[in-house]
Amino acid sequence: MIPVSQPQITDYDVELVSDAMRTGWVSSTGPYIEQFEREFAAFCGVAHCVATANGTVAIHLALEALRIGPGDEVIVPDLTFVATANAVRQAGATPVAVDVRQSDWCIDPAGIERALTPATRAIMPVHLYGHPCAMDDIHALAEQHKLRIIEDAAEAHGAVFRGRRVGSFGDLATFSFYGNKIITTGEGGVITTDSPELAARARFLRDHAMSADRRYWHPEPGFNYRLTNLQAALGVAQLSRIDLLLSKRSAILEQYRSLLARDEFIMNPALPGAKPVNWMTSLVIPGFTREQRDELIQVLRTHGVDSRPFFYPLSQLPMYECDGKPVANELSATGLNLPTFPDLSPSDVEDVCRAVNAAFDQVAARPASRARN
Ligand SMILES: *Cc1c(COP(=O)(O)O)cnc(C)c1O
């Protein structure tokens, strides 16, 4: 079975993790943490980076750093991984889902404007599947309405919008280093920011909110959201070759595009001004029902190819249920992610594409048994 994702672990990765082990600095103090934070900040073009235990708590910590909580609303895209909304709820605030755009699958700035209320405190754009959001329009809205921006960049390390890398647009931005992300630390995350005050507050809250000059004095409730030195060692090794990893992913997408060039298929968007990264090669089949898409995934499995359906929209999940969002619903029902990882070989991609084309013809030949989506 060709998996959807697989981390690339090299001898160098093992060497740095082993080095961290040998020094005895296995917990959340140690030189690799500072090095990883410094180098990841530089990669994003920001002044500060705060490493965290995973990408979800990075979002929660960013909200807490901004003192966003009960009574506050945070605007999120309807089509995202559930962690985006869960972190908002964990902070005690309310996520407000806004539809995405057909053009880039990211949050629609026009929809943000319609969703604003007096309780709105922040916008949380998600650079979905590696495509950067319309940060110019989002920034203008935030300025106009005095809102904070927290980028959820968990899927988009290295993506560029109008010459700047994601992670540098928000008051704060968050990344994930889960095993299937662009680079991994096993589990892990970071906050990036240009604000020394927000970085300091995030560090303080990350470490039980302990006073810097009075040990075991905690003026407010904090968290243990730290990354370990062991994990940071892996992060340093992975980050040292991120350009290579990104270019391998791009080459994979180009090969997919050439072998899956048919009128029935839409693949990863790439708007002018945006340089997306290929976190997940995506295939949308506008003519399909959700049932047909699911059947396609099953047939692919019989051909030895693993794939994933697009996320369910937040507005369809029980705890966030609200008015359906047409674009998010349509993409969610008709999209799937194909195997995408640096060590996927050109012949693997050929095999996947042969399977996709055959499976599509097979599923499309049968009439859909239920109403669309
Ligand atoms: C992966 C992901 C997260 C969560 O990251 P974890 O490190 O798994 O906690 C948050 N948001 C999005 C959009 C993601 O894809």
mmCIF file of all heavy atoms in Angstrom, residues 18 20 36 46 50 54 87 104-105 111 128 141 148 151 172 176 178 182 199 229 235 250 267 273 295 327 343-344 370:
data_model
loop_
_atom_site.group_PDB
_atom_site.id
_atom_site.type_symbol
_atom_site.label_atom_id
_atom_site.label_comp_id
_atom_site.label_asym_id
_atom_site.label_seq_id
_atom_site.Cartn_x
_atom_site.Cartn_y
_atom_site.Cartn_z
ATOM 1 N N SER A 18 20.170 11.458 18.821
ATOM 2 C CA SER A 18 21.081 10.681 19.683
ATOM 3 C C SER A 18 21.963 11.610 20.495
ATOM 4 O O SER A 18 22.230 11.360 21.679
ATOM 5 C CB SER A 18 21.977 9.764 18.843
ATOM 6 O OG SER A 18 21.187 8.935 18.041
ATOM 7 N N ALA A 20 21.253 14.590 21.489
ATOM 8 C CA ALA A 20 20.427 15.154 22.569
ATOM 9 C C ALA A 20 20.264 14.132 23.695
ATOM 10 O O ALA A 20 20.362 14.470 24.878
ATOM 11 C CB ALA A 20 19.059 15.572 22.026
ATOM 12 N N PHE A 36 16.335 25.544 17.521
ATOM 13 C CA PHE A 36 15.170 25.336 16.658
ATOM 14 C C PHE A 36 14.314 26.601 16.604
ATOM 15 O O PHE A 36 13.871 27.023 15.528
ATOM 16 C CB PHE A 36 14.350 24.146 17.179
ATOM 17 C CG PHE A 36 13.192 23.780 16.290
ATOM 18 C CD1 PHE A 36 13.389 23.482 14.944
ATOM 19 C CD2 PHE A 36 11.891 23.717 16.795
ATOM 20 C CE1 PHE A 36 12.323 23.138 14.114
ATOM 21 C CE2 PHE A 36 10.830 23.371 15.979
ATOM 22 C CZ PHE A 36 11.040 23.088 14.641
ATOM 23 N N VAL A 46 10.602 36.212 10.958
ATOM 24 C CA VAL A 46 10.057 36.923 12.120
ATOM 25 C C VAL A 46 11.108 36.976 13.229
ATOM 26 O O VAL A 46 12.120 36.270 13.180
ATOM 27 C CB VAL A 46 8.775 36.248 12.685
ATOM 28 C CG1 VAL A 46 7.673 36.250 11.647
ATOM 29 C CG2 VAL A 46 9.073 34.844 13.184
ATOM 30 N N VAL A 50 8.305 30.491 19.592
ATOM 31 C CA VAL A 50 8.111 29.824 20.878
ATOM 32 C C VAL A 50 7.663 28.396 20.593
ATOM 33 O O VAL A 50 6.572 28.187 20.050
ATOM 34 C CB VAL A 50 7.050 30.568 21.722
ATOM 35 C CG1 VAL A 50 6.847 29.873 23.065
ATOM 36 C CG2 VAL A 50 7.443 32.028 21.929
ATOM 37 N N ASN A 54 2.610 20.738 20.664
ATOM 38 C CA ASN A 54 1.987 20.366 19.384
ATOM 39 C C ASN A 54 1.339 21.615 18.777
ATOM 40 O O ASN A 54 1.370 22.698 19.381
ATOM 41 C CB ASN A 54 0.977 19.207 19.542
ATOM 42 C CG ASN A 54 -0.153 19.540 20.502
ATOM 43 O OD1 ASN A 54 -0.920 20.466 20.272
ATOM 44 N ND2 ASN A 54 -0.245 18.792 21.588
ATOM 45 N N ALA A 87 -9.313 24.625 19.564
ATOM 46 C CA ALA A 87 -8.430 25.468 20.374
ATOM 47 C C ALA A 87 -9.151 26.751 20.787
ATOM 48 O O ALA A 87 -8.956 27.250 21.897
ATOM 49 C CB ALA A 87 -7.148 25.782 19.602
ATOM 50 N N ASP A 104 -9.205 29.545 -3.888
ATOM 51 C CA ASP A 104 -8.002 29.117 -3.157
ATOM 52 C C ASP A 104 -8.305 28.198 -1.978
ATOM 53 O O ASP A 104 -7.383 27.818 -1.247
ATOM 54 C CB ASP A 104 -7.170 30.329 -2.691
ATOM 55 C CG ASP A 104 -7.937 31.245 -1.740
ATOM 56 O OD1 ASP A 104 -9.098 30.935 -1.411
ATOM 57 O OD2 ASP A 104 -7.366 32.275 -1.329
ATOM 58 N N TRP A 105 -9.583 27.850 -1.793
ATOM 59 C CA TRP A 105 -10.035 26.943 -0.742
ATOM 60 C C TRP A 105 -9.774 27.522 0.656
ATOM 61 O O TRP A 105 -9.910 26.819 1.665
ATOM 62 C CB TRP A 105 -9.370 25.550 -0.852
ATOM 63 C CG TRP A 105 -9.549 24.887 -2.180
ATOM 64 C CD1 TRP A 105 -10.364 25.284 -3.218
ATOM 65 C CD2 TRP A 105 -8.896 23.697 -2.644
ATOM 66 N NE1 TRP A 105 -10.254 24.424 -4.271
ATOM 67 C CE2 TRP A 105 -9.350 23.446 -3.960
ATOM 68 C CE3 TRP A 105 -7.954 22.818 -2.072
ATOM 69 C CZ2 TRP A 105 -8.898 22.350 -4.710
ATOM 70 C CZ3 TRP A 105 -7.510 21.734 -2.816
ATOM 71 C CH2 TRP A 105 -7.988 21.511 -4.119
ATOM 72 N N GLY A 111 -16.726 37.027 3.299
ATOM 73 C CA GLY A 111 -17.496 36.308 4.319
ATOM 74 C C GLY A 111 -17.107 36.742 5.722
ATOM 75 O O GLY A 111 -17.945 36.774 6.629
ATOM 76 N N LEU A 128 -4.871 26.485 3.946
ATOM 77 C CA LEU A 128 -5.334 25.097 3.778
ATOM 78 C C LEU A 128 -4.544 24.329 2.725
ATOM 79 O O LEU A 128 -4.394 24.789 1.594
ATOM 80 C CB LEU A 128 -6.825 25.092 3.418
ATOM 81 C CG LEU A 128 -7.488 23.726 3.561
ATOM 82 C CD1 LEU A 128 -7.762 23.398 5.023
ATOM 83 C CD2 LEU A 128 -8.782 23.646 2.761
ATOM 84 N N LEU A 141 -9.018 44.186 6.686
ATOM 85 C CA LEU A 141 -10.199 44.023 7.543
ATOM 86 C C LEU A 141 -9.832 44.133 9.018
ATOM 87 O O LEU A 141 -10.533 44.768 9.808
ATOM 88 C CB LEU A 141 -10.835 42.651 7.304
ATOM 89 C CG LEU A 141 -11.725 42.507 6.080
ATOM 90 C CD1 LEU A 141 -12.058 41.039 5.866
ATOM 91 C CD2 LEU A 141 -13.007 43.322 6.279
ATOM 92 N N ARG A 148 -7.433 41.131 15.920
ATOM 93 C CA ARG A 148 -6.160 40.427 15.902
ATOM 94 C C ARG A 148 -6.191 39.362 14.809
ATOM 95 O O ARG A 148 -7.261 38.860 14.453
ATOM 96 C CB ARG A 148 -5.924 39.749 17.246
ATOM 97 C CG ARG A 148 -5.870 40.716 18.403
ATOM 98 C CD ARG A 148 -4.677 41.628 18.301
ATOM 99 N NE ARG A 148 -4.273 42.091 19.616
ATOM 100 C CZ ARG A 148 -3.037 42.503 19.897
ATOM 101 N NH1 ARG A 148 -2.102 42.533 18.954
ATOM 102 N NH2 ARG A 148 -2.733 42.903 21.113
ATOM 103 N N GLU A 151 -2.564 33.374 12.432
ATOM 104 C CA GLU A 151 -2.516 32.459 11.293
ATOM 105 C C GLU A 151 -2.391 31.028 11.802
ATOM 106 O O GLU A 151 -1.506 30.759 12.618
ATOM 107 C CB GLU A 151 -1.267 32.704 10.440
ATOM 108 C CG GLU A 151 -1.169 33.984 9.702
ATOM 109 C CD GLU A 151 0.263 34.116 9.158
ATOM 110 O OE1 GLU A 151 0.612 33.391 8.212
ATOM 111 O OE2 GLU A 151 1.025 34.920 9.705
ATOM 112 N N LEU A 172 0.210 36.810 15.652
ATOM 113 C CA LEU A 172 0.868 35.553 15.989
ATOM 114 C C LEU A 172 0.519 34.554 14.893
ATOM 115 O O LEU A 172 -0.530 34.688 14.242
ATOM 116 C CB LEU A 172 0.335 35.000 17.322
ATOM 117 C CG LEU A 172 0.505 35.836 18.586
ATOM 118 C CD1 LEU A 172 -0.659 35.584 19.521
ATOM 119 C CD2 LEU A 172 1.806 35.509 19.275
ATOM 120 N N SER A 176 2.481 23.334 13.029
ATOM 121 C CA SER A 176 2.494 21.989 13.612
ATOM 122 C C SER A 176 3.655 21.197 13.018
ATOM 123 O O SER A 176 4.005 21.370 11.848
ATOM 124 C CB SER A 176 1.178 21.267 13.292
ATOM 125 O OG SER A 176 1.316 19.871 13.530
ATOM 126 N N TYR A 178 3.615 17.702 13.494
ATOM 127 C CA TYR A 178 3.097 16.330 13.549
ATOM 128 C C TYR A 178 3.771 15.504 12.438
ATOM 129 O O TYR A 178 4.302 16.069 11.469
ATOM 130 C CB TYR A 178 1.567 16.391 13.357
ATOM 131 C CG TYR A 178 0.899 15.048 13.473
ATOM 132 C CD1 TYR A 178 0.881 14.361 14.680
ATOM 133 C CD2 TYR A 178 0.268 14.467 12.366
ATOM 134 C CE1 TYR A 178 0.278 13.120 14.780
ATOM 135 C CE2 TYR A 178 -0.346 13.234 12.461
ATOM 136 C CZ TYR A 178 -0.334 12.551 13.675
ATOM 137 O OH TYR A 178 -0.930 11.332 13.755
ATOM 138 N N ILE A 182 4.946 19.213 6.943
ATOM 139 C CA ILE A 182 6.073 19.464 6.016
ATOM 140 C C ILE A 182 7.406 19.066 6.652
ATOM 141 O O ILE A 182 8.265 18.479 6.007
ATOM 142 C CB ILE A 182 6.104 20.962 5.611
ATOM 143 C CG1 ILE A 182 4.789 21.372 4.958
ATOM 144 C CG2 ILE A 182 7.330 21.270 4.746
ATOM 145 C CD1 ILE A 182 4.649 21.121 3.495
ATOM 146 N N ALA A 199 5.538 37.283 22.496
ATOM 147 C CA ALA A 199 6.441 36.127 22.613
ATOM 148 C C ALA A 199 6.736 35.857 24.089
ATOM 149 O O ALA A 199 6.691 34.709 24.546
ATOM 150 C CB ALA A 199 7.734 36.375 21.850
ATOM 151 N N ASN A 229 13.752 18.853 24.257
ATOM 152 C CA ASN A 229 15.025 19.000 23.539
ATOM 153 C C ASN A 229 15.221 17.862 22.530
ATOM 154 O O ASN A 229 15.786 18.066 21.461
ATOM 155 C CB ASN A 229 16.161 19.015 24.571
ATOM 156 C CG ASN A 229 17.486 19.477 23.984
ATOM 157 O OD1 ASN A 229 17.554 20.553 23.383
ATOM 158 N ND2 ASN A 229 18.522 18.673 24.155
ATOM 159 N N GLY A 235 13.740 18.457 14.999
ATOM 160 C CA GLY A 235 13.301 19.648 14.267
ATOM 161 C C GLY A 235 14.460 20.387 13.613
ATOM 162 O O GLY A 235 14.363 20.823 12.467
ATOM 163 N N SER A 250 7.041 19.832 -4.405
ATOM 164 C CA SER A 250 6.562 20.564 -5.583
ATOM 165 C C SER A 250 6.698 19.712 -6.840
ATOM 166 O O SER A 250 5.798 19.696 -7.689
ATOM 167 C CB SER A 250 7.369 21.848 -5.803
ATOM 168 O OG SER A 250 7.231 22.681 -4.702
ATOM 169 N N MET A 267 -7.164 20.354 -9.364
ATOM 170 C CA MET A 267 -6.101 20.062 -8.390
ATOM 171 C C MET A 267 -5.753 21.314 -7.592
ATOM 172 O O MET A 267 -6.436 22.317 -7.686
ATOM 173 C CB MET A 267 -4.910 19.434 -9.099
ATOM 174 C CG MET A 267 -5.326 18.091 -9.727
ATOM 175 S SD MET A 267 -3.974 17.099 -10.348
ATOM 176 C CE MET A 267 -3.081 16.780 -8.832
ATOM 177 N N GLY A 273 0.289 35.774 -7.176
ATOM 178 C CA GLY A 273 0.765 36.400 -5.934
ATOM 179 C C GLY A 273 1.019 35.402 -4.823
ATOM 180 O O GLY A 273 1.615 35.740 -3.809
ATOM 181 N N GLU A 295 -16.439 6.125 -2.578
ATOM 182 C CA GLU A 295 -16.251 4.881 -3.327
ATOM 183 C C GLU A 295 -14.899 4.908 -4.055
ATOM 184 O O GLU A 295 -14.185 3.904 -4.096
ATOM 185 C CB GLU A 295 -17.405 4.715 -4.329
ATOM 186 C CG GLU A 295 -17.515 3.314 -4.866
ATOM 187 C CD GLU A 295 -18.587 3.185 -5.945
ATOM 188 O OE1 GLU A 295 -19.537 4.008 -5.962
ATOM 189 O OE2 GLU A 295 -18.456 2.280 -6.776
ATOM 190 N N VAL A 327 -19.566 26.470 -0.415
ATOM 191 C CA VAL A 327 -18.283 26.097 -1.039
ATOM 192 C C VAL A 327 -17.574 25.033 -0.200
ATOM 193 O O VAL A 327 -17.061 24.036 -0.723
ATOM 194 C CB VAL A 327 -17.384 27.333 -1.260
ATOM 195 C CG1 VAL A 327 -16.086 26.925 -1.956
ATOM 196 C CG2 VAL A 327 -18.110 28.397 -2.075
ATOM 197 N N ASP A 343 9.838 11.158 -0.118
ATOM 198 C CA ASP A 343 10.440 9.948 -0.673
ATOM 199 C C ASP A 343 9.507 9.168 -1.603
ATOM 200 O O ASP A 343 9.826 8.041 -2.002
ATOM 201 C CB ASP A 343 10.943 9.041 0.460
ATOM 202 C CG ASP A 343 12.106 9.684 1.208
ATOM 203 O OD1 ASP A 343 12.862 10.468 0.571
ATOM 204 O OD2 ASP A 343 12.260 9.435 2.418
ATOM 205 N N LEU A 344 8.391 9.775 -1.965
ATOM 206 C CA LEU A 344 7.506 9.148 -2.957
ATOM 207 C C LEU A 344 8.224 9.246 -4.314
ATOM 208 O O LEU A 344 8.583 10.340 -4.747
ATOM 209 C CB LEU A 344 6.180 9.915 -2.999
ATOM 210 C CG LEU A 344 5.031 9.346 -3.825
ATOM 211 C CD1 LEU A 344 4.480 8.071 -3.194
ATOM 212 C CD2 LEU A 344 3.901 10.372 -3.946
ATOM 213 N N ARG A 370 -27.484 8.251 -4.966
ATOM 214 C CA ARG A 370 -28.149 9.214 -4.088
ATOM 215 C C ARG A 370 -28.025 10.623 -4.631
ATOM 216 O O ARG A 370 -27.198 10.881 -5.497
ATOM 217 C CB ARG A 370 -27.526 9.174 -2.687
ATOM 218 C CG ARG A 370 -28.151 8.085 -1.850
ATOM 219 C CD ARG A 370 -27.766 8.259 -0.412
ATOM 220 N NE ARG A 370 -27.499 6.956 0.171
ATOM 221 C CZ ARG A 370 -26.562 6.699 1.056
ATOM 222 N NH1 ARG A 370 -25.775 7.656 1.464
ATOM 223 N NH2 ARG A 370 -26.395 5.498 1.534
#
